[in-house]
Amino acid sequence: MSAKAITISSGKGGVGKTTATANLAVALASLNQKVVCIDGDIGLRNLDVVMGLENRIVYDLVDVIEGRCRLRQAMIRDKRMPELHLIPAAQTRDKSSVSPSDMVKLVEELRPELDWILIDSPAGIERGFRNAIAPADEVIIITNPEVSAVRDADRIIGMIEAEEKGPARLIINRLNPTLIKHGDMLSADDVLELLAIELLGIIPEDEAVVISTNRGTPVALDEKNPASRAFHNIARRLMGETIPLLEFEGKSDFLGRLSSLFK
Amino acid sequence: MTTFYERLTGKNRSATQAKDRLRLVLINDRSGLSALELEEIKNEIMQVLSRHMEIDPATVKVQMKQDGREQRLIADIPIRTTQRRKIG
């Protein structure tokens, strides 16, 4: 067994990297996959709170790299899922405590025992981002249908290409079908046309994500709501299945605009 | 205020504006060329060409176009038909 390492990146902060990492990890684990997610945001860790595992941290990523503990000791097992683990980031250190080659070494050590290694990249294009993409077999770009997020995604896609880690695939997060219908949000097609990369999935805006994050129970643990279904579909696409897109793409068509005139 | 026509065609919708603005921004970001530099390039091309042929500056178009993940510089330069010399 040799795990596939996937880094989730976006350039811009706040587009949903951490939420996507947590939920894709849960969705993959629900398909009986052995998954470890690594929080790559040293100094600003958050994957632990999003997953609801913040009270169980003893050792972190930097402890492993600096040899204060064994790799196994820093892997927190998620009790809700049989084969889901988190390696948290250090909170009191900064990005320079880890190098790209440290990350490559760590991931190589993890690979034999797992199916998937998901790395949550920090925002920005500096050291933390370089660390996060160094061990990646594939990079997933996450963006929102907004000018600033799409612009930053384009920069990251260019850098991934330059690092020969491409082609990256895209997740469009927080899509609002009603706004698209009214012509007030970029549609998935618009974003794809601008960025010209392969689409991996679309996550609709869903208040269930906010609520589940408040509780520390990733939305993908409960499969009923739209965002959760979208994450589970992406996980199955990562596994190589062909799953059609959900119906909330909300194209900005003539009829949609016509009907919005009379609202 | 948007007019009824604008609303019907979606011309003035904020999503359309976002897409148009992004298209230009991404071209600049990817090529590292600003709109001003592109204008300079256009003028320099015209200077060279007009030494050899007759060009109407008003009809010249030099644009950066997106082709997938690649950028293409497209120059469309109509040449004025040279006056044909009468034979004989």
Side-chain angles (χ1 to χ4, degrees), chain B residues 48-74:
Chain B
V48 172
L49 288 177
S50 54
R51 271 188 251 140
H52 304 279
M53 54 192 88
E54 212 178 316
I55 295 163
D56 177 4
T59 61
V60 173
K61 272 191 210 140
V62 176
Q63 291 174 299
M64 204 68 92
K65 282 251 167 74
Q66 186 186 345
D67 181 12
R69 292 285 315 159
E70 307 205 321
Q71 308 291 19
R72 229 164 254 258
L73 184 71
I74 311 243

PDB file of all heavy atoms in Angstrom, chain B residues 48-74:
ATOM      1  N   VAL B  48       7.710  49.763 -36.655  1.00  0.00           N
ATOM      2  CA  VAL B  48       8.531  48.891 -37.511  1.00  0.00           C
ATOM      3  C   VAL B  48       7.824  48.628 -38.830  1.00  0.00           C
ATOM      4  O   VAL B  48       8.396  48.800 -39.906  1.00  0.00           O
ATOM      5  CB  VAL B  48       8.826  47.548 -36.787  1.00  0.00           C
ATOM      6  CG1 VAL B  48       9.509  46.572 -37.734  1.00  0.00           C
ATOM      7  CG2 VAL B  48       9.671  47.798 -35.557  1.00  0.00           C
ATOM      8  N   LEU B  49       6.559  48.238 -38.739  1.00  0.00           N
ATOM      9  CA  LEU B  49       5.828  47.857 -39.950  1.00  0.00           C
ATOM     10  C   LEU B  49       5.619  49.030 -40.893  1.00  0.00           C
ATOM     11  O   LEU B  49       5.711  48.870 -42.108  1.00  0.00           O
ATOM     12  CB  LEU B  49       4.480  47.231 -39.568  1.00  0.00           C
ATOM     13  CG  LEU B  49       4.562  45.837 -38.947  1.00  0.00           C
ATOM     14  CD1 LEU B  49       3.188  45.349 -38.543  1.00  0.00           C
ATOM     15  CD2 LEU B  49       5.209  44.844 -39.909  1.00  0.00           C
ATOM     16  N   SER B  50       5.376  50.197 -40.315  1.00  0.00           N
ATOM     17  CA  SER B  50       5.060  51.327 -41.208  1.00  0.00           C
ATOM     18  C   SER B  50       6.283  51.801 -42.004  1.00  0.00           C
ATOM     19  O   SER B  50       6.157  52.581 -42.935  1.00  0.00           O
ATOM     20  CB  SER B  50       4.444  52.483 -40.408  1.00  0.00           C
ATOM     21  OG  SER B  50       5.286  52.810 -39.349  1.00  0.00           O
ATOM     22  N   ARG B  51       7.464  51.287 -41.623  1.00  0.00           N
ATOM     23  CA  ARG B  51       8.633  51.579 -42.457  1.00  0.00           C
ATOM     24  C   ARG B  51       8.562  50.804 -43.766  1.00  0.00           C
ATOM     25  O   ARG B  51       9.204  51.129 -44.741  1.00  0.00           O
ATOM     26  CB  ARG B  51       9.920  51.188 -41.712  1.00  0.00           C
ATOM     27  CG  ARG B  51      10.444  52.335 -40.868  1.00  0.00           C
ATOM     28  CD  ARG B  51      11.794  51.987 -40.314  1.00  0.00           C
ATOM     29  NE  ARG B  51      11.697  51.764 -38.891  1.00  0.00           N
ATOM     30  CZ  ARG B  51      12.325  50.819 -38.202  1.00  0.00           C
ATOM     31  NH1 ARG B  51      13.107  49.969 -38.813  1.00  0.00           N
ATOM     32  NH2 ARG B  51      12.169  50.714 -36.920  1.00  0.00           N
ATOM     33  N   HIS B  52       7.795  49.730 -43.747  1.00  0.00           N
ATOM     34  CA  HIS B  52       7.745  48.855 -44.926  1.00  0.00           C
ATOM     35  C   HIS B  52       6.416  48.878 -45.653  1.00  0.00           C
ATOM     36  O   HIS B  52       6.326  48.498 -46.803  1.00  0.00           O
ATOM     37  CB  HIS B  52       8.047  47.415 -44.503  1.00  0.00           C
ATOM     38  CG  HIS B  52       9.356  47.279 -43.796  1.00  0.00           C
ATOM     39  ND1 HIS B  52      10.545  47.212 -44.477  1.00  0.00           N
ATOM     40  CD2 HIS B  52       9.666  47.250 -42.480  1.00  0.00           C
ATOM     41  CE1 HIS B  52      11.537  47.115 -43.589  1.00  0.00           C
ATOM     42  NE2 HIS B  52      11.019  47.150 -42.374  1.00  0.00           N
ATOM     43  N   MET B  53       5.364  49.248 -44.964  1.00  0.00           N
ATOM     44  CA  MET B  53       4.053  49.238 -45.598  1.00  0.00           C
ATOM     45  C   MET B  53       3.174  50.329 -44.996  1.00  0.00           C
ATOM     46  O   MET B  53       3.527  50.941 -43.982  1.00  0.00           O
ATOM     47  CB  MET B  53       3.397  47.867 -45.441  1.00  0.00           C
ATOM     48  CG  MET B  53       3.324  47.402 -44.016  1.00  0.00           C
ATOM     49  SD  MET B  53       2.885  45.674 -43.901  1.00  0.00           S
ATOM     50  CE  MET B  53       4.466  44.869 -44.000  1.00  0.00           C
ATOM     51  N   GLU B  54       2.040  50.526 -45.635  1.00  0.00           N
ATOM     52  CA  GLU B  54       1.177  51.601 -45.158  1.00  0.00           C
ATOM     53  C   GLU B  54       0.098  51.029 -44.231  1.00  0.00           C
ATOM     54  O   GLU B  54      -0.630  50.104 -44.597  1.00  0.00           O
ATOM     55  CB  GLU B  54       0.519  52.297 -46.349  1.00  0.00           C
ATOM     56  CG  GLU B  54       0.295  53.760 -46.070  1.00  0.00           C
ATOM     57  CD  GLU B  54      -0.311  54.449 -47.274  1.00  0.00           C
ATOM     58  OE1 GLU B  54       0.154  54.192 -48.394  1.00  0.00           O
ATOM     59  OE2 GLU B  54      -1.260  55.217 -47.070  1.00  0.00           O
ATOM     60  N   ILE B  55       0.050  51.558 -43.016  1.00  0.00           N
ATOM     61  CA  ILE B  55      -0.879  51.036 -42.003  1.00  0.00           C
ATOM     62  C   ILE B  55      -1.745  52.173 -41.471  1.00  0.00           C
ATOM     63  O   ILE B  55      -1.264  53.287 -41.270  1.00  0.00           O
ATOM     64  CB  ILE B  55      -0.083  50.414 -40.828  1.00  0.00           C
ATOM     65  CG1 ILE B  55       0.697  49.196 -41.309  1.00  0.00           C
ATOM     66  CG2 ILE B  55      -0.995  50.027 -39.686  1.00  0.00           C
ATOM     67  CD1 ILE B  55       1.787  48.789 -40.368  1.00  0.00           C
ATOM     68  N   ASP B  56      -3.019  51.846 -41.246  1.00  0.00           N
ATOM     69  CA  ASP B  56      -3.898  52.826 -40.610  1.00  0.00           C
ATOM     70  C   ASP B  56      -3.931  52.517 -39.114  1.00  0.00           C
ATOM     71  O   ASP B  56      -4.509  51.504 -38.702  1.00  0.00           O
ATOM     72  CB  ASP B  56      -5.296  52.707 -41.240  1.00  0.00           C
ATOM     73  CG  ASP B  56      -6.268  53.656 -40.557  1.00  0.00           C
ATOM     74  OD1 ASP B  56      -5.841  54.437 -39.677  1.00  0.00           O
ATOM     75  OD2 ASP B  56      -7.462  53.591 -40.890  1.00  0.00           O
ATOM     76  N   PRO B  57      -3.288  53.364 -38.292  1.00  0.00           N
ATOM     77  CA  PRO B  57      -3.198  53.069 -36.846  1.00  0.00           C
ATOM     78  C   PRO B  57      -4.559  52.797 -36.192  1.00  0.00           C
ATOM     79  O   PRO B  57      -4.656  52.027 -35.246  1.00  0.00           O
ATOM     80  CB  PRO B  57      -2.572  54.339 -36.268  1.00  0.00           C
ATOM     81  CG  PRO B  57      -1.916  55.002 -37.415  1.00  0.00           C
ATOM     82  CD  PRO B  57      -2.694  54.653 -38.637  1.00  0.00           C
ATOM     83  N   ALA B  58      -5.610  53.403 -36.716  1.00  0.00           N
ATOM     84  CA  ALA B  58      -6.935  53.250 -36.111  1.00  0.00           C
ATOM     85  C   ALA B  58      -7.476  51.828 -36.246  1.00  0.00           C
ATOM     86  O   ALA B  58      -8.337  51.417 -35.471  1.00  0.00           O
ATOM     87  CB  ALA B  58      -7.899  54.244 -36.726  1.00  0.00           C
ATOM     88  N   THR B  59      -6.984  51.077 -37.226  1.00  0.00           N
ATOM     89  CA  THR B  59      -7.543  49.736 -37.461  1.00  0.00           C
ATOM     90  C   THR B  59      -6.708  48.622 -36.810  1.00  0.00           C
ATOM     91  O   THR B  59      -7.104  47.466 -36.832  1.00  0.00           O
ATOM     92  CB  THR B  59      -7.622  49.432 -38.971  1.00  0.00           C
ATOM     93  OG1 THR B  59      -6.287  49.481 -39.510  1.00  0.00           O
ATOM     94  CG2 THR B  59      -8.493  50.440 -39.694  1.00  0.00           C
ATOM     95  N   VAL B  60      -5.558  49.002 -36.241  1.00  0.00           N
ATOM     96  CA  VAL B  60      -4.659  47.981 -35.692  1.00  0.00           C
ATOM     97  C   VAL B  60      -5.162  47.479 -34.338  1.00  0.00           C
ATOM     98  O   VAL B  60      -5.530  48.260 -33.470  1.00  0.00           O
ATOM     99  CB  VAL B  60      -3.229  48.554 -35.533  1.00  0.00           C
ATOM    100  CG1 VAL B  60      -2.324  47.567 -34.798  1.00  0.00           C
ATOM    101  CG2 VAL B  60      -2.655  48.885 -36.890  1.00  0.00           C
ATOM    102  N   LYS B  61      -5.183  46.151 -34.192  1.00  0.00           N
ATOM    103  CA  LYS B  61      -5.592  45.572 -32.908  1.00  0.00           C
ATOM    104  C   LYS B  61      -4.487  44.651 -32.407  1.00  0.00           C
ATOM    105  O   LYS B  61      -4.099  43.711 -33.092  1.00  0.00           O
ATOM    106  CB  LYS B  61      -6.866  44.741 -33.093  1.00  0.00           C
ATOM    107  CG  LYS B  61      -8.130  45.552 -32.948  1.00  0.00           C
ATOM    108  CD  LYS B  61      -9.318  44.613 -32.880  1.00  0.00           C
ATOM    109  CE  LYS B  61     -10.542  45.280 -33.465  1.00  0.00           C
ATOM    110  NZ  LYS B  61     -11.352  44.361 -34.261  1.00  0.00           N
ATOM    111  N   VAL B  62      -3.975  44.930 -31.214  1.00  0.00           N
ATOM    112  CA  VAL B  62      -3.013  44.022 -30.583  1.00  0.00           C
ATOM    113  C   VAL B  62      -3.584  43.631 -29.226  1.00  0.00           C
ATOM    114  O   VAL B  62      -3.784  44.475 -28.358  1.00  0.00           O
ATOM    115  CB  VAL B  62      -1.624  44.687 -30.416  1.00  0.00           C
ATOM    116  CG1 VAL B  62      -0.673  43.764 -29.679  1.00  0.00           C
ATOM    117  CG2 VAL B  62      -1.050  45.045 -31.779  1.00  0.00           C
ATOM    118  N   GLN B  63      -3.892  42.343 -29.084  1.00  0.00           N
ATOM    119  CA  GLN B  63      -4.563  41.898 -27.857  1.00  0.00           C
ATOM    120  C   GLN B  63      -3.937  40.632 -27.304  1.00  0.00           C
ATOM    121  O   GLN B  63      -3.407  39.823 -28.060  1.00  0.00           O
ATOM    122  CB  GLN B  63      -6.022  41.548 -28.167  1.00  0.00           C
ATOM    123  CG  GLN B  63      -6.894  42.707 -28.518  1.00  0.00           C
ATOM    124  CD  GLN B  63      -8.245  42.201 -28.949  1.00  0.00           C
ATOM    125  OE1 GLN B  63      -8.354  41.468 -29.933  1.00  0.00           O
ATOM    126  NE2 GLN B  63      -9.271  42.574 -28.212  1.00  0.00           N
ATOM    127  N   MET B  64      -4.036  40.487 -26.002  1.00  0.00           N
ATOM    128  CA  MET B  64      -3.631  39.237 -25.364  1.00  0.00           C
ATOM    129  C   MET B  64      -4.890  38.400 -25.238  1.00  0.00           C
ATOM    130  O   MET B  64      -5.895  38.857 -24.701  1.00  0.00           O
ATOM    131  CB  MET B  64      -3.048  39.564 -23.991  1.00  0.00           C
ATOM    132  CG  MET B  64      -2.105  38.551 -23.466  1.00  0.00           C
ATOM    133  SD  MET B  64      -0.561  38.439 -24.352  1.00  0.00           S
ATOM    134  CE  MET B  64       0.411  39.577 -23.401  1.00  0.00           C
ATOM    135  N   LYS B  65      -4.835  37.161 -25.719  1.00  0.00           N
ATOM    136  CA  LYS B  65      -6.000  36.279 -25.637  1.00  0.00           C
ATOM    137  C   LYS B  65      -5.669  35.049 -24.814  1.00  0.00           C
ATOM    138  O   LYS B  65      -4.551  34.555 -24.842  1.00  0.00           O
ATOM    139  CB  LYS B  65      -6.406  35.836 -27.049  1.00  0.00           C
ATOM    140  CG  LYS B  65      -7.187  36.897 -27.818  1.00  0.00           C
ATOM    141  CD  LYS B  65      -8.653  36.485 -27.976  1.00  0.00           C
ATOM    142  CE  LYS B  65      -9.524  37.633 -28.451  1.00  0.00           C
ATOM    143  NZ  LYS B  65      -9.333  37.957 -29.852  1.00  0.00           N
ATOM    144  N   GLN B  66      -6.687  34.573 -24.098  1.00  0.00           N
ATOM    145  CA  GLN B  66      -6.513  33.356 -23.308  1.00  0.00           C
ATOM    146  C   GLN B  66      -6.838  32.144 -24.167  1.00  0.00           C
ATOM    147  O   GLN B  66      -7.867  32.109 -24.829  1.00  0.00           O
ATOM    148  CB  GLN B  66      -7.448  33.410 -22.097  1.00  0.00           C
ATOM    149  CG  GLN B  66      -7.225  32.264 -21.138  1.00  0.00           C
ATOM    150  CD  GLN B  66      -8.233  32.239 -20.013  1.00  0.00           C
ATOM    151  OE1 GLN B  66      -8.938  33.206 -19.771  1.00  0.00           O
ATOM    152  NE2 GLN B  66      -8.323  31.110 -19.336  1.00  0.00           N
ATOM    153  N   ASP B  67      -5.939  31.163 -24.138  1.00  0.00           N
ATOM    154  CA  ASP B  67      -6.184  29.938 -24.886  1.00  0.00           C
ATOM    155  C   ASP B  67      -5.902  28.790 -23.919  1.00  0.00           C
ATOM    156  O   ASP B  67      -4.776  28.344 -23.786  1.00  0.00           O
ATOM    157  CB  ASP B  67      -5.253  29.913 -26.106  1.00  0.00           C
ATOM    158  CG  ASP B  67      -5.471  28.665 -26.952  1.00  0.00           C
ATOM    159  OD1 ASP B  67      -6.479  27.974 -26.721  1.00  0.00           O
ATOM    160  OD2 ASP B  67      -4.629  28.386 -27.815  1.00  0.00           O
ATOM    161  N   GLY B  68      -6.936  28.363 -23.211  1.00  0.00           N
ATOM    162  CA  GLY B  68      -6.733  27.398 -22.137  1.00  0.00           C
ATOM    163  C   GLY B  68      -5.894  28.038 -21.049  1.00  0.00           C
ATOM    164  O   GLY B  68      -6.209  29.119 -20.589  1.00  0.00           O
ATOM    165  N   ARG B  69      -4.800  27.385 -20.638  1.00  0.00           N
ATOM    166  CA  ARG B  69      -3.904  27.962 -19.638  1.00  0.00           C
ATOM    167  C   ARG B  69      -2.806  28.796 -20.296  1.00  0.00           C
ATOM    168  O   ARG B  69      -1.905  29.265 -19.638  1.00  0.00           O
ATOM    169  CB  ARG B  69      -3.245  26.871 -18.788  1.00  0.00           C
ATOM    170  CG  ARG B  69      -4.173  26.105 -17.876  1.00  0.00           C
ATOM    171  CD  ARG B  69      -4.635  26.835 -16.650  1.00  0.00           C
ATOM    172  NE  ARG B  69      -3.607  27.560 -15.935  1.00  0.00           N
ATOM    173  CZ  ARG B  69      -3.880  28.573 -15.101  1.00  0.00           C
ATOM    174  NH1 ARG B  69      -5.106  28.963 -14.902  1.00  0.00           N
ATOM    175  NH2 ARG B  69      -2.901  29.193 -14.487  1.00  0.00           N
ATOM    176  N   GLU B  70      -2.866  28.945 -21.633  1.00  0.00           N
ATOM    177  CA  GLU B  70      -1.803  29.684 -22.321  1.00  0.00           C
ATOM    178  C   GLU B  70      -2.290  31.055 -22.777  1.00  0.00           C
ATOM    179  O   GLU B  70      -3.473  31.267 -22.980  1.00  0.00           O
ATOM    180  CB  GLU B  70      -1.344  28.885 -23.537  1.00  0.00           C
ATOM    181  CG  GLU B  70      -0.968  27.480 -23.135  1.00  0.00           C
ATOM    182  CD  GLU B  70       0.021  26.856 -24.080  1.00  0.00           C
ATOM    183  OE1 GLU B  70      -0.117  27.091 -25.299  1.00  0.00           O
ATOM    184  OE2 GLU B  70       0.913  26.145 -23.588  1.00  0.00           O
ATOM    185  N   GLN B  71      -1.324  31.937 -22.903  1.00  0.00           N
ATOM    186  CA  GLN B  71      -1.642  33.282 -23.388  1.00  0.00           C
ATOM    187  C   GLN B  71      -1.127  33.426 -24.804  1.00  0.00           C
ATOM    188  O   GLN B  71      -0.069  32.923 -25.144  1.00  0.00           O
ATOM    189  CB  GLN B  71      -0.964  34.331 -22.522  1.00  0.00           C
ATOM    190  CG  GLN B  71      -1.214  34.179 -21.074  1.00  0.00           C
ATOM    191  CD  GLN B  71      -2.645  34.475 -20.709  1.00  0.00           C
ATOM    192  OE1 GLN B  71      -3.569  34.486 -21.457  1.00  0.00           O
ATOM    193  NE2 GLN B  71      -2.864  34.701 -19.533  1.00  0.00           N
ATOM    194  N   ARG B  72      -1.874  34.169 -25.589  1.00  0.00           N
ATOM    195  CA  ARG B  72      -1.488  34.361 -26.962  1.00  0.00           C
ATOM    196  C   ARG B  72      -1.560  35.844 -27.266  1.00  0.00           C
ATOM    197  O   ARG B  72      -2.546  36.495 -26.905  1.00  0.00           O
ATOM    198  CB  ARG B  72      -2.522  33.651 -27.844  1.00  0.00           C
ATOM    199  CG  ARG B  72      -1.966  32.772 -28.889  1.00  0.00           C
ATOM    200  CD  ARG B  72      -3.089  31.890 -29.359  1.00  0.00           C
ATOM    201  NE  ARG B  72      -2.858  30.557 -28.814  1.00  0.00           N
ATOM    202  CZ  ARG B  72      -2.357  29.572 -29.549  1.00  0.00           C
ATOM    203  NH1 ARG B  72      -2.102  29.759 -30.819  1.00  0.00           N
ATOM    204  NH2 ARG B  72      -2.134  28.399 -29.019  1.00  0.00           N
ATOM    205  N   LEU B  73      -0.544  36.358 -27.912  1.00  0.00           N
ATOM    206  CA  LEU B  73      -0.592  37.752 -28.343  1.00  0.00           C
ATOM    207  C   LEU B  73      -1.085  37.756 -29.781  1.00  0.00           C
ATOM    208  O   LEU B  73      -0.448  37.196 -30.665  1.00  0.00           O
ATOM    209  CB  LEU B  73       0.803  38.372 -28.249  1.00  0.00           C
ATOM    210  CG  LEU B  73       0.849  39.864 -28.582  1.00  0.00           C
ATOM    211  CD1 LEU B  73       0.185  40.689 -27.492  1.00  0.00           C
ATOM    212  CD2 LEU B  73       2.286  40.322 -28.758  1.00  0.00           C
ATOM    213  N   ILE B  74      -2.247  38.361 -29.979  1.00  0.00           N
ATOM    214  CA  ILE B  74      -2.839  38.362 -31.319  1.00  0.00           C
ATOM    215  C   ILE B  74      -2.762  39.772 -31.884  1.00  0.00           C
ATOM    216  O   ILE B  74      -3.281  40.719 -31.292  1.00  0.00           O
ATOM    217  CB  ILE B  74      -4.315  37.913 -31.270  1.00  0.00           C
ATOM    218  CG1 ILE B  74      -4.412  36.628 -30.445  1.00  0.00           C
ATOM    219  CG2 ILE B  74      -4.897  37.804 -32.675  1.00  0.00           C
ATOM    220  CD1 ILE B  74      -4.867  35.415 -31.112  1.00  0.00           C
TER     221      ILE B  74
END
